[in-house]
Amino acid sequence: MADFSVLDYFFWLLLIIAFVMEAWALIDSLTVPQGAYAAASKLSKKLWMIITIVAAVVGGAYAAAPAALGAHPIGLLLGILPVAAFIAAAVYLADVRPAVAPFRKRGGGRGNTNMGPYGPW
């Protein structure tokens, strides 16, 4: 393994945080019902799944590269692929996730019937 400085570990931590965010976006995209995307006027579930899968795979590969290959994290972090993967996950989490949130099933599938116009009562 390469001789890493404290700054290298900091940038490696940034790569790991980016991967966690990309994995979160992937898991969230898998749990949203398919009709929610169309109801929110967003791209289809299939397309968002493909985008988030690619982002998570790229993010995971770049987060593991310093340990596996001994590459310096700053060089990896400044590449176009990890930046694009992070942006894709950020767009999903900041734009799509809030838009499809009202269409998610609530109450764990119990069918909460005590719903008023502004929420449960």
Side-chain angles (χ1 to χ4, degrees):
M1 184 147 88
D3 187 27
F4 286 164
S5 68
V6 174
L7 198 56
D8 285 329
Y9 285 111
F10 172 73
F11 288 118
W12 194 1
L13 179 64
L14 290 180
L15 285 169
I16 293 169
I17 291 170
F19 169 65
V20 168
M21 196 175 105
E22 293 150 1
W24 176 27
L26 171 61
I27 292 167
D28 191 78
S29 72
L30 294 173
T31 61
V32 174
Q34 186 170 359
Y37 292 94
S41 299
K42 300 297 177 187
L43 296 175
S44 68
K45 178 175 182 164
K46 180 188 271 187
L47 194 56
W48 274 114
M49 284 176 34
I50 291 169
I51 291 169
T52 56
I53 287 170
V54 169
V57 168
V58 168
Y62 275 80
L69 305 175
H72 287 281
I74 184 65
L76 297 172
L77 190 63
L78 295 177
I80 189 72
L81 289 178
V83 171
F86 179 81
I87 290 173
V91 166
Y92 178 84
L93 291 173
D95 181 44
V96 178
R97 186 173 189 263
V100 298
F103 305 102
R104 290 180 181 265
K105 293 181 181 173
R106 293 197 176 105
R110 293 186 303 248
N112 190 355
T113 58
N114 295 332
M115 293 295 287
Y118 302 108
W121 51 278

